Amino acid sequence: MFSTRRIRIFDTTLRDGEQAPGIDLTVEQKVRIARQLQRLGVDVIEAGFPASSEGEFIATKKILEEVGDSVEVTGLARANKNDIDKGIEAGLSSIHVFIATSDIHLKYKLKLTREQVLDRIYESVRYAKSHGLVVEYSPEDATRTDEDFLIQAVKTAVEAGADRVNIPDTVGTMYPFKFYDLIKKVVNATSGRIVSVHCHNDFGLATANSLAGVQAGARQVHVTVNGIGERAGNASLEEVVMALKKLMDYEVGVKTWLLYDTSRLVSELSGVPVPYFKAIVGENAFGHEAGIHVHGVIENPLTYEPMSPEEVGNFRRLALGKHSGIHGLRKILEEDGIHLDDEKLKAVLQEVKRMADTGKKITAEDAKRIASKYLNT
Ligand SMILES: CC(=O)SCCNC(=O)CCNC(=O)[C@H](O)C(C)(C)COP(=O)(O)OP(=O)(O)OC[C@H]1O[C@@H](n2cnc3c(N)ncnc32)[C@H](O)[C@@H]1OP(=O)(O)O
Ligand SMILES: CC(C)C(=O)C(=O)O
């Protein structure tokens, strides 16, 4: 049994992440990422959508064979027998069944009435349960669904035996206070089932909304590595995990020191670069050039860092430029065995700043070259 402070991490990099245009992973690549996710310590790996292609079906099977003994592996299925059967055929003992509940999806996409959708929820969840599967049900577009109908939908899933109910903010239209209120209502309607949240980043709020969901009682969060996914992406695994742990004092099973390597593996295999300023895993997440900051960080890194780079497997990078100060310059040169008195350091610093003012990017090599002129003077 998990404690009430323990939040489950449901990784959907290999399903919602891979759905993004331009990302098509081979079976081998998906298996490599799944192995890394298992090492990382996520609670659930959504391996893919087995009914969607032969490759997805094989990948799901292989991922199960590789890591299924030590982590829950699930797959996505529409609310129909065929998709659920494909999951069963692939060997899954856990399935993620979804069907939309918002009027716009019912009218234009599914062409079903609300009654018909409730029937589909009940029948599909029941069918999956009758095959002994762990079932998570998602009312797609939940956050644009009439609230009373949403509650009816999740209650129907629970009645049919769903083990977990996931609330997707499918097009990212929530903000934290509103999502908090909604998740509270869902938690109260689901008779103690695990409530999960799945947030998209269309307004840059996926992480914030996920945290609000947890604050309201959700005990599982759907995430993707580097936040890859449909449109502006999904809530990013590294942000959600570190915020839960460092800001909200929740427990997560993730080995945070593997976050950076996981991020780089997914970036390499998906072909999607990690933004320079990306929280936690970006190249600049622990970068400092400003003299006042570098001075603080040299004395005690917590002056300008909210966590240590080692905790997430990232690196501290001290840079030189027109904002540099003497303390940082001294540190960078001394790491290369160059020791200068304060006067000479000031002279080197002036040259560094003059160069940087011309727009040049200053490297440690530039500083060493300038410093060498003052070494024996
Ligand atoms: C929010 C999300 O991320 S949902 C997941 C979205 N992911 C994907 O679509 C990726 C994988 N998808 C695929 O490979 C294909 O779309 C398939 C195999 C699922 C279906 O392909 P096709 O049969 O060619 O249909 P197409 O994708 O054009 O349309 C979807 C069909 O599924 C139906 N459908 C959509 N969602 C659901 C659902 N949750 N439950 C039941 N039926 C659904 C639609 O009404 C439509 O049915 P229709 O063909 O009778 O009109
Ligand atoms: C299938 C569901 C959970 C989904 O991906 C979404 O609504 O974004």
Side-chain angles (χ1 to χ4, degrees):
M1 265 301 267
F2 285 158
S3 85
T4 53
R5 302 296 298 169
R6 171 73 155 81
I7 305 300
R8 295 161 54 90
I9 300 299
F10 178 118
D11 183 275
T12 181
T13 306
L14 296 173
R15 199 279 296 170
D16 214 346
E18 203 203 356
Q19 265 176 224
I23 306 180
D24 286 297
L25 300 167
T26 63
V27 170
E28 289 69 30
Q29 287 173 329
K30 289 189 73 143
V31 171
R32 266 183 79 187
I33 292 174
R35 275 200 223 108
Q36 180 66 17
L37 291 170
Q38 183 266 337
R39 272 194 292 274
L40 183 68
V42 302
D43 298 283
V44 187
I45 296 174
E46 190 165 40
F49 193 153
S52 77
S53 76
E54 189 58 17
E56 279 290 277
F57 178 78
I58 295 169
T60 306
K61 264 181 98 154
K62 287 234 160 103
I63 288 170
L64 260 171
E65 283 162 20
E66 288 276 335
V67 301
D69 284 348
S70 49
V71 60
E72 179 180 332
V73 175
T74 196
L76 189 66
R78 286 170 296 176
N80 66 40
K81 283 189 182 173
N82 173 67
D83 283 15
I84 296 168
D85 284 344
K86 269 284 175 196
I88 294 170
E89 213 185 305
L92 290 174
S93 53
S94 164
I95 198 101
H96 176 196
V97 176
F98 77 102
I99 189 163
T101 46
S102 65
D103 287 334
I104 185 172
H105 278 234
L106 266 59
K107 180 171 177 194
Y108 295 100
K109 191 186 76 172
L110 297 173
K111 299 176 178 69
L112 294 175
T113 64
R114 287 184 178 184
E115 273 312 309
Q116 287 170 317
V117 165
L118 292 179
D119 287 348
R120 293 273 187 112
I121 295 170
Y122 191 84
E123 281 161 20
S124 55
V125 171
R126 199 87 216 113
Y127 181 72
K129 283 311 294 177
S130 74
H131 284 79
L133 302 176
V134 168
V135 180
E136 177 159 329
Y137 165 67
S138 288
E140 187 189 4
D141 207 19
T143 53
R144 293 191 303 174
T145 298
D146 170 77
E147 230 171 74
D148 291 339
F149 183 59
L150 178 66
I151 296 301
Q152 244 185 308
V154 300
K155 281 187 165 169
T156 302
V158 169
E159 259 171 52
D163 300 279
R164 304 192 291 258
V165 171
N166 174 56
I167 301 300
D169 186 21
T170 303
V171 290
T173 52
M174 282 287 107
Y175 57 93
F177 305 108
K178 197 171 173 192
F179 199 47
Y180 174 92
D181 288 343
L182 181 68
I183 297 303
K184 269 254 167 232
K185 288 177 190 154
V186 172
V187 168
N188 289 334
T190 42
S191 316
R193 299 297 193 285
I194 291 178
V195 173
S196 170
V197 290
H198 174 113
C199 298
H200 279 275
N201 207 29
D202 299 71
F203 288 86
L205 290 169
T207 296
N209 287 334
S210 302
L211 301 182
V214 169
Q215 185 90 349
R219 284 295 166 269
Q220 179 178 277
V221 186
H222 283 208
V223 290
T224 63
V225 176
N226 299 332
I228 63 172
E230 293 281 1
R231 305 178 311 279
N234 286 60
S236 109
L237 181 149
E238 48 284 347
E239 292 173 15
V240 168
V241 162
M242 292 314 290
L244 285 174
K245 194 175 160 204
K246 303 290 288 188
L247 306 181
M248 297 172 80
D249 207 23
Y250 281 104
E251 295 159 20
V252 282
V254 166
K255 299 180 181 77
T256 60
W257 55 96
L258 298 179
L259 286 171
Y260 183 82
D261 283 353
T262 307
S263 157
R264 290 310 177 273
L265 178 71
V266 169
S267 173
E268 182 200 325
L269 298 183
S270 65
V272 179
V274 179
Y276 181 64
F277 289 110
K278 178 81 176 60
I280 319 292
V281 291
E283 288 306 293
N284 195 57
F286 299 90
H288 311 277
E289 177 196 310
I292 294 164
H293 289 222
V294 174
H295 176 214
V297 166
I298 291 169
E299 299 299 326
N300 179 344
L302 293 178
T303 52
Y304 285 102
E305 289 173 356
M307 68 194 101
S308 75
E310 295 81 22
E311 201 174 346
V312 297
N314 202 339
F315 305 91
R316 181 172 300 119
R317 295 168 180 87
L318 299 185
L320 288 168
K322 67 173 165 182
H323 308 101
S324 291
I326 208 87
H327 291 86
L329 178 65
R330 182 187 295 114
K331 167 100 175 144
I332 285 169
L333 290 176
E334 285 185 359
E335 274 174 2
D336 270 313
I338 299 173
H339 299 267
L340 295 176
D341 62 31
D342 280 2
E343 212 164 302
K344 288 175 181 167
L345 274 173
K346 274 185 198 151
V348 175
L349 186 62
Q350 287 322 309
E351 281 201 44
V352 164
K353 284 184 187 252
R354 266 200 300 278
M355 258 174 107
D357 276 337
T358 67
K360 185 176 181 331
K361 193 174 176 327
I362 311 293
T363 63
E365 284 310 307
D366 292 325
K368 262 175 21 188
R369 193 172 29 74
I370 298 168
S372 65
K373 294 194 297 188
Y374 294 87
L375 264 178
N376 300 314
T377 59

